[in-house]
Amino acid sequence: MIPYQAVIQQLEKQLVSAKNAATDQQICEALIAIRALCDVVLDSPSDPAPITPPKHLPQMLVSETKPSSLYTSKIEEDGANGDSIFDF
């Protein structure tokens, strides 16, 4: 979850932008940004579980890669005329 204080700082920044805007277009853009920031906070779950990075990442299992049977064996059919997937 985004900390409320960070959102409030961004809201204040956009409010200052709206107050100092020279055109109606700039005011609308700042107000849209304010609405979006409010929606982010209001639409998020009220008590989400905190996201913490794992303290220990498990070591990935290293295994020898084996070529797929799709690439190593060729299917032989009567009437086929080559290795292309477009050969019928």
Side-chain angles (χ1 to χ4, degrees):
M1 177 174 183
I2 300 172
Y4 289 130
Q5 192 60 34
V7 176
I8 291 170
Q9 288 174 353
Q10 289 298 316
L11 286 168
E12 290 172 345
K13 180 180 172 183
Q14 291 299 325
L15 185 58
V16 169
S17 295
K19 286 180 179 180
N20 296 330
T23 65
D24 288 342
Q25 178 68 27
Q26 292 173 335
I27 292 172
C28 287
E29 289 173 2
L31 293 175
I32 290 170
I34 290 171
R35 178 191 293 169
L37 288 166
C38 291
D39 288 342
V40 166
V41 172
L42 295 175
D43 290 342
S44 65
S46 60
D47 191 21
I51 299 172
T52 57
K55 293 180 181 171
H56 174 70
L57 294 176
Q59 188 176 23
M60 295 186 66
L61 297 175
V62 178
S63 64
E64 189 176 314
T65 58
K66 298 178 184 176
S68 173
S69 63
L70 293 175
Y71 299 112
T72 58
S73 64
K74 189 194 286 187
I75 299 173
E76 300 290 332
E77 288 189 27
D78 292 334
N81 59 358
D83 294 336
S84 175
I85 61 171
F86 299 108
D87 291 334
F88 301 103

